[in-house]
Amino acid sequence: MRAAERWGDLVRDVVVELSARRSRSLLMLAAVALSTGALVASVGVSTTAAHQIGADLAASTLDQVTVSVAQGAADAEGGGSAEGGAPDAPAGVFPADTEARATAVQGVVAAGRRLDLSGHGPDTVAPAAVPSGTAAGGDADAIRHLTVAGVVPGYLDAAHDTVDTGRAWLLGTDQTVAFLGVEAAKVLGIPVTTDPTGYAISVGGTTYRVAGFARTEDGGADVSGTVLLPYARVLAVVGSDGDAQLLVRTAPGAGAGVAGVIRVAVRPDAPERLAASQVESLASLRHGVSNQLGRLSAWIGAFLLALTALLIANAMVVAVVARTPEIGLRRALGASRSAVSAVFWCEGAVTGFLGGVAGSAFGLAATVAVAAANDWSARLAPWLAAVGPVLGAVVGVAASAYPALRAGRVSPALAIRAD
C-alpha cells in the first residue's frame, strides 16, 4: 500500500510540474513526437517503397524471356533455302507448334516467333499500289532502311503490340499480306486508316497487300518503323530459322522459372539446340533494396532521437537549476536522494511516452499520406504503432539520467540559501 501511495504521489508531482511549465512541456512533447514520428514514418515509407519497387521489378523486368537458336544448331538441323516468294517453308529448329508448346508452360501468358528479313534476303520496300485517284509518296532513303520482319500472331501479344482488330490471324498464314507500323506507313506514303483496301507494297520484288497497321502499346516492343509479314513467308525467303527468336511473356515474377524450362518444353527431344535468355531472380535485389532503405531510415531516426535526447536533457537540467530551492525543501522535509531523483526520472518517462504516442500517430498518418500520393499500397507492420511510445519513453528516461542524478546530489542547506 505504501508503494502504491508513493507512486501516486510521484505521478501527481510530475503532473503538477508539467502543468506548471506548459510551454516547456509542450516543446519537449513536440520534440519527442517529431523525432519518433519521423522514425516511424521513415520506416513505414521505406517499407512501402521497397515493396513497391519489388512489385515494379517483378512486373516489368521479369515478364519476358527470349528463346533463340543455339550457335551451330541451325546448321546441324539442316534445312535448305527457298526461292523469292515461295511459300514452302524449310524445316527448322523451332517446331511448327512452338507457340502451343510454350503457352502450355505454367506462368506463360503469350509466346510468338519473329524472324527478321533485313540482312538475310531481298528486303527493299516500296509502295506497289494505291487506290485510284491517290498519289503515291514516300522517302526513298528511308524506305531502304525499314525493318522487315516475319511474325506469328502470338508475337504481338507477347511483345505488347497490336494490329487492326480481327486481322492478326493473317500473320499465321502464308498469304502475301503486310501490316505496317505507323512510322513505316508514313515513310511509304500510305495513310493510316481503318480500311487499307487498295494499298500494296513491294518487298524484295514480291507484292504484299496492306492488311492493316501495327501499333505499340505502353511498354511494348517498338514496331512503329517495322513492316510485319507472315512468319511463313519470311522463313521461306530466308531458308532457315537459325536467326529466329521466340518471345515469351510470363506472369509477373515468373520469368526466372520459365527461362529454366522453356527450352525443354519447346524441344524436349533436343533442348540443347535452343538458348533461353538468362533471367535472374531479383529476390535478393529486392531484399537488398528493402534492407538499404531500412538502414537509411534507422540512421535518420537514430539521429533525430539523439538530438531529442539532448534537448530533453538540456531542458531538464534547466528545470533542476530553477527548482533548486524546491529540491532543498524536499530534502529538508525528509525526502531521500532517490525520491528526488525519481521525480525527474518519471517526468522524463511520461514526457517521452506521451510524445511517442503522438509521434506514432503522426508517422503512421504520414506513411499513409505518402503512399496515397504516389498510388502505392501502404505497408504498415503492427509493431510500428508500439515503436513510438516505447522509444519515446526510453529516450525520455535516458535523457533524464544526468538531471535526475544532479537533483539527487543537491545539498539541502545550499539549496535553501540559493533562493
Side-chain angles (χ1 to χ4, degrees):
M1 189 67 180
R2 278 185 163 184
E5 291 178 355
R6 284 198 298 269
W7 278 105
D9 291 340
L10 181 61
V11 171
R12 280 191 291 271
D13 285 343
V14 170
V15 171
V16 170
E17 174 59 25
L18 293 178
S19 301
R21 294 176 171 82
R22 293 181 182 178
S23 297
R24 181 180 66 86
S25 301
L26 288 176
L27 284 175
M28 289 196 298
L29 284 172
V32 176
L34 286 176
S35 60
T36 55
L39 177 60
V40 171
S42 58
V43 171
V45 171
S46 65
T47 302
T48 300
H51 181 268
Q52 187 65 35
I53 290 171
D56 290 344
L57 286 173
S60 62
T61 306
L62 298 180
D63 69 342
Q64 286 189 341
V65 176
T66 302
V67 182
S68 57
V69 178
Q71 188 173 4
D75 296 334
E77 191 75 28
S81 151
E83 294 295 330
D88 297 328
V93 178
F94 287 104
D97 60 345
T98 293
E99 287 69 34
R101 297 186 184 191
T103 53
V105 176
Q106 185 176 6
V108 173
V109 176
R113 286 166 290 169
R114 170 174 174 159
L115 177 60
D116 285 3
L117 177 62
S118 304
H120 297 92
D123 60 351
T124 302
V125 184
V130 297
S132 58
T134 303
D139 186 338
D141 291 333
I143 290 174
R144 286 194 293 268
H145 293 91
L146 287 177
T147 299
V148 181
V151 300
V152 298
Y155 175 85
L156 299 173
D157 192 12
H160 294 285
D161 297 323
T162 60
V163 296
D164 293 331
T165 304
R167 301 175 186 174
W169 64 273
L170 291 169
L171 293 170
T173 69
D174 60 359
Q175 297 185 34
T176 52
V177 295
F179 291 87
L180 307 180
V182 175
E183 290 299 321
K186 180 180 179 181
V187 169
L188 291 167
I190 298 176
V192 178
T193 65
T194 55
D195 183 15
T197 303
Y199 288 99
I201 61 173
S202 173
V203 180
T206 300
T207 300
Y208 291 83
R209 293 179 293 107
V210 177
F213 301 92
R215 297 172 177 81
T216 302
E217 296 180 353
D218 291 339
D222 186 12
V223 293
S224 59
T226 304
V227 176
L228 300 178
L229 306 179
Y231 180 84
R233 301 293 308 186
V234 175
L235 180 60
V237 173
V238 175
S240 169
D241 64 356
D243 290 317
Q245 288 188 334
L246 172 67
L247 183 64
V248 180
R249 180 160 65 90
T250 72
V258 170
V261 301
I262 191 66
R263 296 184 306 133
V264 176
V266 174
R267 284 296 301 266
D269 58 325
E272 70 278 359
R273 296 188 182 279
L274 300 176
S277 60
Q278 294 299 312
V279 180
E280 299 294 339
S281 174
L282 297 186
S284 59
L285 175 59
R286 295 162 64 186
H287 183 68
V289 169
S290 179
N291 284 344
Q292 293 297 331
L293 288 175
R295 290 175 184 174
L296 175 62
S297 63
W299 278 109
I300 293 174
F303 177 72
L304 292 174
L305 286 175
L307 290 180
T308 301
L310 291 175
L311 175 64
I312 294 175
N314 181 68
M316 296 195 72
V317 166
V318 173
V320 170
V321 174
R323 295 168 64 184
T324 298
E326 176 194 335
I327 294 171
L329 182 59
R330 284 175 180 268
R331 293 295 311 279
L333 292 175
S336 63
R337 290 186 175 183
S338 60
V340 173
S341 298
V343 174
F344 292 92
W345 286 104
C346 187
E347 184 177 334
V350 170
T351 302
F353 179 81
L354 294 178
V357 171
S360 280
F362 167 76
L364 295 176
T367 300
V368 173
V370 170
N374 291 279
D375 292 326
W376 296 346
S377 297
R379 307 286 292 187
L380 298 174
W383 55 266
L384 272 180
V387 166
V390 172
L391 279 179
V394 170
V395 170
V397 171
S400 303
Y402 173 70
L405 293 175
R406 177 171 175 171
R409 293 195 184 102
V410 172
S411 170
L414 295 177
I416 293 175
R417 283 204 292 278
D419 198 17

